[in-house]
Amino acid sequence: MEMEKYVEFPKVSIITINFNGASVTCDLIESLRNVTYPNFEVIVVDNASQENPDIIKERYPEVVLIKNKENLGFAGGNNAGFRAASGKYFMLLNNDTEVHPEFLHPLVARLESDPLAGAVSSKLIYHNTDGIIQYAGSSMINPYTGRSSFLGQKEKDQGQYDVCCQTHYAHGAAMMVPRRVVEEVGLMADLYFLYYEELDFCERIKEAGYAIWYIGTSVVYHKESMSVGKQNPIKTYYMTRNRLVYMRRNVRGIKLFISMLYFTVIAMPKHTLSHLAARRKDLLKAFYRGVAWNLTNHKIFGNPKI
């Protein structure tokens, strides 16, 4: 369905999270000023940054700035944005992205034309590269290992993924969800705080009978790892903790038993030896803190409502 055929353009609420990254967030908003879609709002949720986020509002007065009193993480921050949004569609964008001017049109077109589309996600290109792809859809998470992979990752974009097709998971850096779907399935599970939350969100959307779509004609450029480094204790802790949380919430029966056995017998020794070999005791400690959280926290269900 071509957007030009619409009598009206449904409103899109673009939600992005800022945490000590006002200059990066301003770069995103600057790119949004070039967007050709005529009906959207921009909501910036500041997660209790140490630096003053008011510079964002001063430079871009059209932005709705929400200042959380504490850091609610990716899930909690987006939930605050959901609650403040007035659009028919919610577009989640990482603040370390910049967008193609036409990126909204094909996303809205899919959702407007297909009532069973529960979420759509853009093609992600690594920023400032010669068209190197980060995400062009996702494989299914292995129910035993808790791992998945991105299609097209590190391939040069030559149009081979300029398709619209169903995929297993949207990418949280650039995903759009209809308001009615969020009202039905609930908000993101804020216990994740960081990592795996959008995967869990997609699982609930699929369980409600909707499909996840990858839209290759929508392009977003991602400055990957500007917010959290590739190897640091924060990432190690939350990736470990939330990998187990995700499995506990979304895998059942014998598969869950096997997945926990796999983690204990294979994954734990592998990560332990890897961190020791690298002489990274800080990462080893963070890894076991993530494991310990799951041993002492039994309440992992329940999703906030909009």
Side-chain angles (χ1 to χ4, degrees), residues 140 143-144 247 251-261:
M140 183 178 181
Y144 304 113
M247 300 297 281
V251 181
R252 298 289 180 269
I254 188 64
K255 289 183 178 180
L256 178 60
F257 173 78
I258 295 174
S259 72
M260 294 299 105
L261 184 64

Side-chain angles (χ1 to χ4, degrees), residues 78-288:
N78 277 312
N79 288 345
F82 285 147
R83 292 187 173 106
S86 60
K88 180 179 180 180
Y89 297 116
F90 301 151
M91 179 75 213
L92 307 186
L93 274 179
N94 273 21
N95 75 317
D96 61 346
T97 60
E98 294 181 18
V99 303
H100 187 282
E102 300 285 338
F103 90 109
L104 280 178
H105 292 266
L107 300 177
V108 174
R110 168 52 54 183
L111 293 176
E112 283 287 293
S113 65
D114 183 0
L116 291 180
V120 292
S121 198
S122 305
K123 179 199 297 178
L124 289 175
I125 303 291
Y126 286 108
H127 188 265
N128 279 341
T129 66
D130 187 21
I132 303 302
I133 297 171
Q134 178 186 13
Y135 167 91
S138 174
S139 68
M140 183 178 181
I141 288 184
N142 187 305
Y144 304 113
T145 67
R147 299 300 193 193
S148 66
S149 60
F150 295 155
L151 305 181
Q153 190 170 46
K154 297 186 178 180
E155 294 182 27
K156 182 175 174 59
D157 184 18
Q158 297 177 322
Q160 69 272 39
Y161 294 104
D162 288 357
V163 297
C164 298
C165 60
Q166 289 189 30
T167 190
H168 289 284
Y169 302 99
H171 197 296
M175 67 180 292
M176 183 183 290
V177 186
R179 171 186 291 274
R180 60 181 175 79
V181 172
V182 177
E183 290 173 343
E184 180 178 346
V185 305
L187 301 175
M188 285 186 165
D190 50 16
L191 85 160
Y192 282 98
F193 191 79
L194 191 64
Y195 302 119
Y196 276 88
E197 57 278 283
E198 79 268 30
L199 304 177
D200 182 275
F201 197 38
C202 286
E203 285 292 349
R204 284 160 42 212
I205 291 171
K206 290 187 289 185
E207 287 177 3
Y210 299 100
I212 311 296
W213 282 79
Y214 159 74
I215 310 298
T217 51
S218 171
V219 179
V220 171
Y221 303 95
H222 192 194
K223 306 168 188 176
E224 172 73 337
S225 297
M226 288 192 67
S227 298
V228 181
K230 289 184 178 297
Q231 288 290 328
N232 64 63
I234 294 175
K235 182 173 183 179
T236 298
Y237 169 72
Y238 282 110
M239 286 292 285
T240 303
R241 190 194 83 156
N242 292 346
R243 175 184 177 183
L244 294 171
V245 169
Y246 174 89
M247 300 297 281
R248 292 169 62 196
R249 280 172 59 95
N250 295 287
V251 181
R252 298 289 180 269
I254 188 64
K255 289 183 178 180
L256 178 60
F257 173 78
I258 295 174
S259 72
M260 294 299 105
L261 184 64
Y262 171 89
F263 186 86
T264 303
V265 175
I266 298 178
M268 284 183 68
K270 176 183 176 182
H271 284 282
T272 300
L273 292 174
S274 175
H275 294 322
L276 287 175
R279 298 182 179 181
R280 293 296 302 270
K281 291 184 179 180
D282 57 337
L283 299 184
L284 182 63
K285 182 179 179 181
F287 175 80
Y288 277 97

